[in-house]
Amino acid sequence: MKRRSYMMLLGFFLSLILTIVPMAGNFTNAATPTAVTPVSALSFTQGVQKTVLDNGLTVLTKEVHTAPVVSVQVWYKVGSRNEVKGENGISHQLEHLMFKGTNDRPVQFGRLFSALGSQFNAFTSYDETAYFGTVQRDKLEALLTLEADRMENSLIGPEQLTSEKRVVISELQGYENSPGYRLSRAVMRAAFPNRAYGLSVGGTKADVEKFTLEQVRNYYQTYYSPENATLVITGDFATKPALKVVQETFGKLSQRPKKNTAVDNATRALDRFLASNSIADASSSTPVAKKAPIVLKQPGSTALLQVVYPLPDIKHPDVPAIDLMDAILTGGRSSRLYQALVESGLASSVSGGAAELIEPGWYEIDATAAPGQELGKIAQVLQESLVKLQQQPVTSEELKRAKTQLQASYILGNQDITSQANQLGYNQTIAGDYHFIERYLAAIAKVTPAQVQKAAKTYLNPAQQTIGFFEPTQPDGKPGTSSAGSSRTVENFSPGKPVDPAELAKYLPPATSETDSAKQSLPEEFTLKNGLKVLLLSDRNLPTINLSGQIDAGAEFDGNQKAGLANLTASNLMNGTQTKNALTLAKTLEDLGAGLSFGASREGVNVSGEGLSANLPILIQTLADVLENATFPADQLELSRQRALTSLKVQLDDPRGLGRQVFQQAIYPENHPFHSFPTADSLKTITRDDLLGFYQTHYRPDTTTIALVGDFDSVKVKALLNEVFGKWQATGKPPVLKIPTVPFPQTLTQLNKVIPGKAEAVTYIGYNGISRKDPRYYAALVLNQILGGDTLASRLGTEVRDRQGLTYGIYSGFAAGINPGPFLIQMQTAPLDAQKAIASTLALLKQLREQGVTEAELNTAKRSITNSYPVDLANPSDVSSIILDNAVLGLSRSEIREFPRRIQAVTMANMQQAIEDLIKPENLVIVTAGPGDSVTKGS
């Protein structure tokens, strides 16, 4: 099972939506071993009030008083499904334009949202386009005012369309860099040649270039109307006064006259007829010729397989059985396809997902071949697994595991109010009823083995499948060639004046500022006798547990010769202990719908766990078992090594991955721990003895920190931790690295890496930065907010993205950890625009260095950061990460409460000092990775 990326996001400054859209079948981790007690759906819909205004707008309100924040979302029932030939991508193009301002507020709406401290974004999908923002509760009226304004008065003019067309094309070209995207596009076109679902949600460059102002305005007038929308409000508000504001803002909007409604309805009816007649039972005696496989032979790094089967729509009674079928096939390590393909060494990964939409959708299976494995063999074993599912009923253990996992995923996926609003908006828009989840979960609990088998026979019909193979033309995954660098860019550029926050303030709806983090509960902190540090924060609002942890066993200890050792060690922890093999460990958690994972970062091994609160003991016991008793079986090491080699090929074939590596290795000298990156040679030299030695040396209780947030009794948890970790001991002192100081580069350095077959270039600009405990950190954070902390509201975003339309996304950041990490600016551009975007960025840095920032910019940035902070604290998963990070970085446990005050304390003098110390336009490292024509000619 996987969360499908059906949506085209406005920008990559927020990735939130990819993890919260509750599409059936979208859930990571499958799981468990019969009747399953139904998960109560009342918590999802209890207290929801539905109101329909006179103009047809549906309003869903749900009071959730667990944190002082509210989420406002507007879901329009329009997506790529509504597009006709020649208009592919117009829904997505309009989504971008909805941020360009309105007649009364002719400013970038991203700046307005940012000024309010809103965590905001938007997405376009097949059936819907949605806009959402989550803010402090006192900003509710302001958000409602802005959303109502752009529902009726969006500024769609020639200048806005021209600029945003370039941005959309940059976005689409970025997707073209992915072989998986190109394969999926070809497969979907072949699977649905006569239906809009067969087209890419984002559109095509050819269609986008041809959009006229009249087309886009007509589309807006047709679909952005109150009766075609659902407004969702969740969080800490009172329903009656909120509805009064809704009536005052949205209630005055009028319905729009519709065009071509009859034609549109007829087209939809024809699509439904074609789709419903495309699903045949696999047991049918009527022979149907199988489609020939689609084969793409293009530049790339790894071989890919994708299979698509037609499905019914979301309201079909088979949907629960289909989703459980998917969980049994692809849900977690214990799933059938993982065991058949990944554990056998044929594939590096396998995933699946059911798209159940307004009209009949599809079921998709994706696999990445392991090095040296043939796609034909993978397809054969895949088909054998599907046939077995069709011919033999699933076991009661499998079905129970799948039900438990699917039900638990809804609870774990709805811990924050943004996700709860998404759940309501999605069900109301796609299923036509926000109560849909109640019927769905009740039906899940009743599905029988026979129904799952029948779903497999009906929908996994070989005669109806569309299968695609991506065969890379450079399977060795070589990292591309270098081009001679130039010490300067090709053109000079004078940026426009920074946006004046005072000018912006004219367009902001009134709102108070009531940030009060003093009420935030502080974690209880204690240390076990063996040195293991623990932070506990009880939150009884939801029956969930969120675990975050860190072990000082990161990639900084690798060295160049054994680069990749830390990550291989971490990824092998769950492959077996003294009492449990890999499959038993997986089932222990997946039977409960829980998850536990490990991954090495530069400065430590990150531990992440989640589950229902009743299962906390098993989660903790499993964590202790693998940290104390991992055995690193040789056969599993070889499989994980093959997966690491595949990941390395993918990274070196991705301009983002290769560019970041070249950038970082240009900043840090060869003897620096941050210079080390895995290579094929280093991965191949790592032995089991290396893993055991690294594990025994670096996995110690006195270098481990665990944070737990959720529904538990602290006294009982302390007793449990002492019991399960009490025997874990370490001898001697832990290893310590002396990290050398890295100076700024002496001159401006520009490097280029060419990767064949790419459509878009990615550029990194920067140098070594600061650590988290640097006294300039808070000033640097505010400075970064002004410079590039927000793709739509910052100076970089305003100039390079919004005004010039040169990039889909540009942002900056300080990677401030235990040790100083890089300050970097990242952007994605068309190859021929790379140099212009670089020149623009350098000019903006020089402008910042020479002119500084204004008092108004400083105050606006501080308010934006502090107003947004309560939204982070409203998500239990985020809180566990925050308190862990604070502890690992050596900050006090009160930092979670003090952070806004420290941001507000930043002065103009602090800012001027930070600019002087940290902004060095003449000492930058600039790395561009992508197709060859992004390289400066003659350089």
Side-chain angles (χ1 to χ4, degrees), residues 278-329:
S278 68
I279 301 172
D281 194 304
S283 61
S284 172
S285 59
T286 306
V288 181
K290 289 178 65 175
K291 297 178 185 176
I294 294 159
V295 180
L296 297 186
K297 294 186 178 183
Q298 299 174 356
S301 57
T302 54
L304 308 173
L305 174 149
Q306 185 177 83
V307 190
V308 165
Y309 300 89
L311 285 185
D313 63 68
I314 193 171
K315 295 182 182 179
H316 195 282
D318 286 348
V319 161
I322 291 168
D323 290 346
L324 289 168
M325 173 191 78
D326 171 44
I328 289 165
L329 284 173

Side-chain angles (χ1 to χ4, degrees), residues 89-101:
I90 195 169
S91 303
H92 177 226
Q93 180 71 73
L94 180 56
E95 175 218 317
H96 277 247
L97 288 165
M98 288 287 284
F99 283 84
K100 300 295 276 188

